[in-house]
Amino acid sequence: MSLKLRPLCDSFGAEVLDIDLSKPLDNETFSEIENAFDSTSLLLFRGQTLSEDDHVALSRRFGPLQAHVLKPYLSNTHPDLLVLSNIKDKGQAAGIGDAGQIWHSDTSYTETPCRCSLLLGREIPEPDGDRTFGDTIFRSACAAFDALPADRQAQLEKLTAPHSYIHYYKRKQAEGSARPDLTSEQVKEVPPVDHPVVMKHPITGRKAIYVNPGYTMKINELPESESQSLLAELFDYLNEPRFVYRHKWRPGDLIIWDNYATQHLAVGDYALPQRRLMHRTTVLLGEDARRRLTESRQRQAA
């Protein structure tokens, strides 16, 4: 088959039309989907009726899966599914209620960040007329890098930055999040790691601005004041409308986004009795892509 695609915005993203992901995908069709994903960085599939088994099986075709460090919020039946929800069952949270409410790229705090994430909207807050709630905003870090002048690109390519999940988590707690303290075992799973400020995509080869407000702590090569000034400048630049797509969720929407090429923000503008229930899988890089990422970093450090 030949995929029918509809662009979501000028710089990245596409909606895939007329496809039911709950039905078996032959290798040729999946290859078309994967190629479209690599070229657009984000794919939207509307009206999907995926079971948890379907969601996990589709995700595994993109690569091996990673269980999130927050084990209490994983699905009881599928440990590869992270539950994002504000719903409470007998006073207990069904999932992470404030997930992603700051700009970030999933697992940038790990040595080898994940390839992509697949997020399925199971329950979505009811809209109020034209106003929707619980939107997710995406921005293309590749398009943003490509639009920079060559001399600015060269400057940024000389820099590195530490990313830390613990830094993010403690900040969320300080802001009043109900998340429990991380255990010592969880802390050991996510030590801070350094990444280049400009990341070369291990599959497509495109370059992206790879710093985000969620996990990036500073710029290693700059004094503190200059470091924070540059980060603020880059975060503002990434928010320019030409790089941004805002998704208004409907039940049954599945979005796949590239964590090397994009960043995202969950809008927390809803509360019970407005219910939101999402399931997310996290897909790791395959062996060849992991090798290319390592080689690229070694060349950059030399």
Side-chain angles (χ1 to χ4, degrees):
M1 66 174 293
S2 180
L3 288 184
K4 299 176 183 177
L5 301 177
R6 178 163 57 203
L8 294 174
C9 66
D10 291 339
S11 56
F12 73 112
E15 179 182 353
V16 183
L17 306 174
D18 303 329
I19 192 165
D20 183 352
L21 295 173
S22 68
K23 296 180 180 178
L25 296 175
D26 58 49
N27 290 336
E28 182 180 356
T29 301
F30 178 75
S31 180
E32 286 191 56
I33 291 173
E34 190 170 33
N35 289 338
F37 171 70
D38 286 337
S39 64
T40 66
S41 305
L42 182 150
L43 292 179
L44 164 64
F45 300 82
R46 296 256 193 210
Q48 301 301 312
T49 56
L50 300 177
S51 67
E52 291 189 5
D53 285 341
D54 294 333
H55 189 168
V56 169
L58 173 65
S59 303
R60 285 191 174 133
R61 296 190 73 169
F62 286 90
L65 301 189
Q66 178 186 51
H68 198 275
V69 65
L70 297 182
K71 303 299 188 289
Y73 300 114
L74 301 178
S75 165
N76 292 330
T77 55
H78 283 284
D80 294 317
L81 279 175
L82 179 67
V83 181
L84 311 177
S85 181
N86 69 331
I87 301 169
K88 295 185 182 296
D89 182 12
K90 298 179 181 178
Q92 297 297 313
I96 305 176
D98 60 354
Q101 294 178 9
I102 188 170
W103 283 106
H104 67 290
S105 177
D106 289 343
T107 74
S108 74
Y109 52 83
T110 61
E111 185 69 27
T112 306
C114 60
R115 177 187 184 187
C116 59
S117 303
L118 290 81
L119 184 62
L120 176 64
R122 295 196 176 275
E123 289 189 57
I124 307 299
E126 286 290 331
D128 181 9
D130 292 334
R131 183 183 176 186
T132 55
F133 301 91
D135 297 351
T136 303
I137 312 174
F138 297 89
R139 59 192 188 189
S140 174
C142 285
F145 177 79
D146 290 344
L148 287 170
D151 59 343
R152 189 59 161 160
Q153 292 179 344
Q155 290 172 353
L156 295 178
E157 287 186 277
K158 298 175 183 177
L159 304 176
T160 62
H163 294 234
S164 170
Y165 185 75
I166 299 166
H167 166 77
Y168 161 79
Y169 199 87
K170 288 182 176 179
R171 181 170 59 185
K172 293 296 293 183
Q173 288 181 315
E175 293 171 352
S177 171
R179 297 184 185 195
D181 291 338
L182 294 172
T183 66
S184 58
E185 289 77 15
Q186 288 173 318
V187 170
K188 289 177 183 177
E189 283 187 49
V190 284
V193 296
D194 284 345
H195 290 303
V197 169
V198 176
M199 178 74 80
K200 184 176 181 181
H201 198 292
I203 295 175
T204 69
R206 292 188 70 188
K207 294 179 179 179
I209 298 173
Y210 201 73
V211 291
N212 63 76
Y215 302 126
T216 305
M217 301 170 67
K218 63 179 182 178
I219 303 295
N220 287 321
E221 293 78 10
L222 299 178
E224 181 66 18
S225 60
E226 292 181 33
S227 168
Q228 296 308 314
S229 176
L230 175 58
L231 287 175
E233 175 191 330
L234 291 174
F235 298 155
D236 285 344
Y237 171 66
L238 284 160
N239 271 339
E240 291 188 10
R242 56 182 166 154
F243 309 132
V244 173
Y245 164 67
R246 183 170 184 136
H247 183 67
K248 299 177 180 295
W249 288 92
R250 303 176 194 166
D253 282 358
L254 176 77
I255 290 187
I256 309 173
W257 66 82
D258 188 320
N259 283 299
Y260 285 84
T262 71
Q263 300 175 11
H264 60 283
L265 166 73
V267 180
D269 59 351
Y270 58 94
L272 292 172
Q274 295 171 303
R275 290 164 57 102
R276 190 174 190 262
L277 173 62
M278 323 286 279
H279 281 168
R280 194 192 84 189
T281 51
T282 303
V283 180
L284 299 171
L285 289 175
E287 185 176 342
D288 288 344
R290 291 172 69 91
R291 175 181 50 77
R292 287 193 293 271
L293 180 65
T294 299
E295 292 172 350
S296 175
R297 287 170 134 182
Q298 290 172 343
R299 286 193 297 270
Q300 188 170 31

